[in-house]
Amino acid sequence: RLVSPPMNIPPSHISLLDALILIERVYLPKPFKGRAFGRRVRYIWEVADYGRYITIAEWDPLSDTFRTDFPASIILDRIALRIGKSKEDVLEELWRRKAVLEWMIRNNITELKDVANIIYSYYTDPEKFLKEHEIEVVAAAPSVGFKGEVLASWSPTQKPPSIPVKKPVEETEVKGVEDAINYVIELLSMSDGSIPYWQIFAKASIPKDLIVKALLKLRSEGKIEISEGLIKLKES
């Protein structure tokens, strides 16, 4: 719908999106408030590039639950790079916030002021907040039988394929990462060795997941540093 009439958004602009969500009216496995039908988020994809999407979550119509694979997220990779933490640290924070939200649901905390106070208290001292309210944090592994796949030849205007397209072969991905590394180095060289973190993605014609891998590799090799929202080229 985005790239077809009447919207006619250029395909090159799709890569500027972070994620896509498909919502449909579906038959519910168990009636809810006397209704046999309802609306559900069927799929959540992260956008690596136009025509290249990573499945992060999928609704299971048999159990009315969601199957997820957050470790496959490239958005979390980007957040980890930006704040100087590992992806595991970011995932742990995700599970902590999930536990807090579930605790709020169990305690029927819905008023805006109460929710805001709880969020503020959590941000002030997460460990203290979790301990005071005896909130147990459980790390959620990817759902059994579900793994976020890179859909390399699917368009959001089509129905999701029954069998996800497999990831490109390793040789192709290695070549893609090498191209992304060259792109990052060239862009930094043209920008006097420093560029805002967000611009590295905004200016790219390369899939975002490959740029993330390139940044991780360059940082591990000591060729760049990421701090204060900037990517800086280290002097060799």
Side-chain angles (χ1 to χ4, degrees), residues 107-178:
N107 289 275
N108 196 31
I109 300 173
T110 58
E111 292 296 326
L112 177 60
K113 184 177 180 180
D114 296 333
V115 172
N117 287 335
I118 287 172
I119 292 175
Y120 177 78
S121 298
Y122 173 79
Y123 280 163
T124 301
D125 191 335
E127 295 300 331
K128 179 181 178 181
F129 182 89
L130 294 173
K131 186 175 181 180
E132 283 183 351
H133 297 282
E134 299 180 347
I135 299 175
E136 182 181 0
V137 179
V138 179
S143 302
V144 176
F146 175 77
K147 181 172 176 57
E149 296 286 350
V150 176
L151 308 185
S153 60
W154 175 78
S155 167
T157 59
Q158 304 170 356
K159 284 291 184 181
S162 56
I163 301 177
V165 178
K166 292 184 178 180
K167 293 183 180 181
V169 293
E170 184 176 349
E171 292 79 5
T172 302
E173 184 165 317
V174 169
K175 178 63 167 59
V177 173
E178 290 175 353

Side-chain angles (χ1 to χ4, degrees), residues 8 10-11 15-16 31 38 41 43 50 54 66 74 94 96 101 127 134 155 157 161 166 176 187 189 191 198-199 229:
N8 294 321
S15 61
L16 300 177
V41 173
Y43 293 90
Y50 177 69
I54 301 172
F66 290 91
I74 59 172
L94 190 66
R96 284 194 290 268
L101 290 173
E127 295 300 331
E134 299 180 347
S155 167
T157 59
K166 292 184 178 180
L187 189 59
S189 299
S191 306
W198 64 270
Q199 283 190 19

Side-chain angles (χ1 to χ4, degrees), residues 70-119:
F70 289 110
S73 169
I74 59 172
I75 292 178
L76 295 184
D77 280 322
R78 290 164 58 188
I79 292 173
L81 276 169
R82 189 178 70 244
I83 64 178
K85 293 184 178 292
S86 68
K87 189 172 186 177
E88 289 71 25
D89 291 335
V90 175
L91 285 169
E92 287 178 7
E93 177 61 21
L94 190 66
W95 310 144
R96 284 194 290 268
R97 295 185 184 188
K98 174 178 180 287
V100 172
L101 290 173
E102 291 176 339
W103 173 81
M104 290 167 62
I105 292 172
R106 290 195 301 271
N107 289 275
N108 196 31
I109 300 173
T110 58
E111 292 296 326
L112 177 60
K113 184 177 180 180
D114 296 333
V115 172
N117 287 335
I118 287 172
I119 292 175

Side-chain angles (χ1 to χ4, degrees), residues 54-75:
I54 301 172
T55 307
I56 297 300
E58 176 182 348
W59 180 65
D60 183 354
L62 296 178
S63 61
D64 197 15
T65 59
F66 290 91
R67 296 182 291 176
T68 62
D69 188 7
F70 289 110
S73 169
I74 59 172
I75 292 178

